[in-house]
Amino acid sequence: MNIKELRYYHDLVIQKNFSKVATHFGVAQPTITMAIQRLERELGAPLFIRSQSHHDLTVTASGLQFDQHVQTILRELEVAHQELSRAKQERIRFGLPPIIDMALLGSLAPLQQDSFSTQVITRAPIQIIVAPDHPLATRTTGVSFQDLKKEPFITLANEYVHAQAFHQVSRAAGVRPKVVFKTHDVHVLKTLVAKNSGISFLTTLALEPQDHLVALPLLDLGAPEFIISVATRANRLLSPYGQELWGLLADEHD
């Protein structure tokens, strides 16, 4: 398999249409078909179920699992390209290892750790998001989690703060939500929700007008909010550029 085939595959999982994927990449439809067939032969498992008319396409359980790995590969490749392109640029480094100046961190409560100096940058509610034509879309005053116990959810993967908040809210409501798909990619999540493949649980900071989604406040007591903080190691002396950025971020919050 190669990267181009993986890009074809991931787009087909989203679009579920060979013609649309071929148009998106500017290739002939048989190119997409043969790429998917090669992947299925190499993996030894069907990735899609095709109707006899080939108009309807369903991703198999194996296909959804494989797409989780594909997203990771494509995301890491993008990060590698970005890091290489910035290798010769003067920059402030973000992350957590000791060589890093500062980090941007998401959490459900303000961070309090002796080894770090932190500053809240912004905070926003985590709300239920649905497609504009979803039956819940008219309930703009809000919904309770009990109202959603039969709804199919599309969620971010377990390592995200959103997953922790999702579990907290569902436990508090005594609801065992039906999760039909998990992803590492916020764009994929929003695309699937917009196509009415399910509803989701996402901070309003991640929403843009062009997403064409409706955000519904949670009426449950103690509904979570998403907090973004900038952090640096308490014993680290920031460079002049780092000090300037820290000041700008702190001023932005104030």
Side-chain angles (χ1 to χ4, degrees):
M1 66 184 69
N2 58 51
I3 295 299
K4 187 176 292 186
E5 289 177 344
L6 297 182
R7 294 189 191 280
Y8 294 161
Y9 175 77
H10 179 56
D11 203 48
L12 188 59
V13 169
I14 299 172
Q15 300 285 357
K16 295 183 177 62
N17 185 289
F18 282 90
S19 297
K20 289 182 179 179
V21 175
T23 300
H24 175 75
F25 287 99
V27 298
Q29 183 172 326
T31 299
I32 307 299
T33 302
M34 289 187 290
I36 301 304
Q37 289 174 346
R38 282 194 296 270
L39 286 174
E40 290 181 321
R41 286 196 300 269
E42 186 169 343
L43 294 169
L47 302 175
F48 297 93
I49 298 174
R50 306 161 180 80
S51 67
Q52 290 185 349
S53 64
H54 284 257
H55 290 155
D56 296 322
L57 198 64
T58 304
V59 189
T60 65
S62 297
L64 290 174
Q65 181 62 49
F66 179 56
D67 188 54
Q68 297 288 322
H69 299 290
V70 170
Q71 289 180 56
T72 299
I73 292 169
L74 295 179
R75 185 171 60 253
E76 289 298 321
L77 182 63
E78 178 63 23
V79 170
H81 280 303
Q82 291 175 359
E83 289 181 345
L84 290 173
S85 68
R86 293 196 299 262
K88 295 184 179 180
Q89 299 176 11
E90 193 168 300
R91 65 196 187 280
I92 298 169
R93 296 162 295 180
F94 276 91
L96 281 178
I99 61 170
I100 298 301
D101 296 322
M102 281 183 279
L104 287 176
L105 304 174
S107 62
L108 300 179
L111 299 172
Q112 295 180 339
Q113 293 189 14
D114 293 339
S115 56
F116 290 96
S117 297
T118 63
Q119 169 70 47
V120 172
I121 298 175
T122 190
R123 56 210 308 161
I126 302 178
Q127 298 187 343
I128 300 300
I129 61 169
V130 301
D133 56 346
H134 192 281
L136 290 172
T138 58
R139 298 177 61 172
T140 53
T141 56
V143 293
S144 68
F145 212 81
Q146 276 286 343
D147 298 330
L148 311 173
K149 56 187 176 183
K150 295 184 179 180
E151 294 289 337
F153 275 91
I154 298 164
T155 67
L156 289 172
N158 289 339
E159 56 265 35
Y160 285 80
V161 170
H162 283 76
Q164 180 184 347
F166 186 69
H167 293 317
Q168 287 179 2
V169 173
S170 59
R171 282 197 301 268
V175 172
R176 195 167 185 176
K178 180 171 64 174
V179 178
V180 294
F181 188 55
K182 293 183 179 182
T183 180
H184 291 85
D185 192 320
V186 175
H187 174 70
V188 170
L189 182 149
K190 293 191 291 186
T191 299
L192 291 174
V193 172
K195 292 179 179 292
N196 244 331
S197 299
I199 68 174
S200 194
F201 187 60
L202 191 67
T203 175
T204 54
L205 292 172
L207 299 179
E208 301 177 65
Q210 59 267 32
D211 294 329
H212 303 298
L213 294 168
V214 177
L216 308 174
L218 264 179
L219 301 178
D220 299 63
L221 185 65
E225 63 177 357
F226 186 76
I227 299 173
I228 296 180
S229 303
V230 61
T232 186
R233 294 185 182 275
N235 61 355
R236 185 172 187 85
L237 181 63
L238 292 176
S239 67
Y241 286 115
Q243 293 175 18
E244 182 179 357
L245 177 58
W246 184 279
L248 288 172
L249 292 173
D251 290 343
E252 188 70 22
H253 175 65
D254 295 339

